[in-house]
Amino acid sequence: MSKNVLQEISLFATDLAIKAGELIKHEREQNTLTQTYKSNHELVTQADIKADELITRQIREVYPDHRILSEESSPDSLEQNSGQLDSPIWIIDPIDGTVNYAHGHHQVAISIAYADAGKVQVGIVHCPFQGETFEAVRGQDSLMNGNPIAVSHKRELRKALIGTGFPYDKSNLEPLIKRLRLIVNNCQDIRRIGSAAIDICWVAMGRLDGFYESLSPWDFAAAQLIAEQAGARCGHFSPIPLTASKGLYGEDILIATPELYDELAHLLRSATDRAG
Ligand code: IPD
Ligand code: CA
Ligand code: CA
């Protein structure tokens, strides 16, 4: 992929994320948040839908041939497209951190990824309430507000601050609690920020030393590229099924500073082994 094309896409996606950020800030200031729940108790507000419409409409206008995988308007299109990233596809979470958003917290992000040639090529995570915009173009430094960022390179698990999250569906929490206990016992502390995209960007810039969770593609597609290009090691602490869609498989994700990755993976696996 030509550098100039990706740069152009990155500028377009950043502009779009900023516009969506203004929209969701305005919606919250108006205090007219209509809240509903999806079938699995997942919260969705009017602002999620409006931001999704804004982003997908503009992508369709500028790139009519590209596919879109968006949490709110086309959550099934990954299956329909058999998870292929070999032709242009946009992967969007219009609001990552909806529960924070609805409770008036600031940890809220708009996540926009662009994939082609089998990989995510551009990732933008914009945090409108915090005034922080993370961006990555494959092959280049990751940036926050235009400045290069890098992982912490922390070496001691004891001093490591680890992020994680919990699913909306609370029917099988036991394995997660086991992992949590091991992490709390062996690391400095744990953070549950409430936006996986922000968690991963915080690993990218060293505010966190590692992050693990099971996620949907739109939660991590953009942030994972940002973390990768900032020096993080990105993978899974459990085996990946052969049929998994390459690059967007979200089970048991682990993203960490490379010095701690193996130890964290081992710790998390040992909790999983004991869970059975
Ligand atoms: C959620 C957030 C949260 C994570 C959940 C996600 P949403 O996304 O990223 O931090 O723990 O797994 O579903 O619903 O706010 O877009
Ligand atoms: Ca999300
Ligand atoms: Ca969302």
Side-chain angles (χ1 to χ4, degrees), residues 57-266:
R57 191 180 56 241
Q58 295 213 5
I59 293 174
R60 285 205 178 92
E61 271 170 28
V62 180
Y63 301 103
D65 301 336
H66 291 188
R67 295 169 298 147
I68 298 178
L69 170 64
S70 161
E71 178 177 16
E72 302 309 339
S73 54
S74 53
D76 301 327
S77 67
L78 190 67
E79 280 75 25
Q80 284 156 18
N81 291 303
S82 14
Q84 294 305 316
L85 300 184
D86 49 3
S87 64
I89 182 165
W90 294 79
I91 303 150
I92 293 147
D93 194 341
I95 298 186
D96 188 53
T98 297
V99 174
N100 283 346
Y101 180 76
H103 285 262
H105 294 214
H106 281 188
Q107 289 91 344
V108 173
I110 288 125
S111 173
I112 303 180
Y114 169 78
D116 193 3
K119 288 178 177 165
V120 173
Q121 304 286 348
V122 172
I124 307 296
V125 173
H126 172 57
C127 312
F129 297 101
Q130 296 169 315
E132 294 185 343
T133 307
F134 298 86
E135 56 178 295
V137 172
R138 187 165 288 283
Q140 298 178 26
D141 282 346
S142 292
L143 307 174
M144 188 192 77
N145 293 350
N147 300 310
I149 50 172
V151 294
S152 69
H153 292 296
K154 189 83 48 73
R155 295 184 163 274
E156 286 172 72
L157 211 51
R158 241 311 129 230
K159 294 185 180 164
L161 190 57
I162 306 299
T164 191
F166 305 97
Y168 287 92
D169 178 357
K170 309 283 190 260
S171 58
N172 189 24
L173 284 184
E174 205 42 44
L176 278 68
I177 304 295
K178 287 192 167 116
R179 282 176 208 145
L180 199 62
R181 186 175 298 126
L182 273 178
I183 294 288
V184 172
N185 266 328
N186 289 278
C187 302
Q188 184 174 49
D189 206 345
I190 192 129
R191 291 290 177 270
R192 197 292 188 247
I193 290 166
S195 158
I198 295 181
D199 282 305
I200 298 168
C201 288
W202 282 19
V203 174
M205 65 171 311
R207 283 183 191 152
L208 290 175
D209 305 299
F211 165 78
Y212 69 94
E213 196 181 344
S214 289
L215 297 169
S216 298
W218 41 80
D219 298 316
F220 69 91
Q224 183 168 277
L225 179 67
I226 293 164
E228 232 176 83
Q229 305 284 138
R233 185 166 159 197
C234 305
H236 303 263
F237 59 86
S238 64
I240 305 176
L242 288 173
T243 52
S245 94
K246 212 171 159 245
L248 292 184
Y249 179 66
E251 282 305 301
D252 294 341
I253 281 184
L254 173 60
I255 296 176
T257 196
E259 294 80 356
L260 294 177
Y261 186 95
D262 284 332
E263 257 186 291
L264 280 168
H266 177 75

Side-chain angles (χ1 to χ4, degrees), residues 178 271-276:
K178 287 192 167 116
T272 310
D273 293 345
R274 282 177 223 184

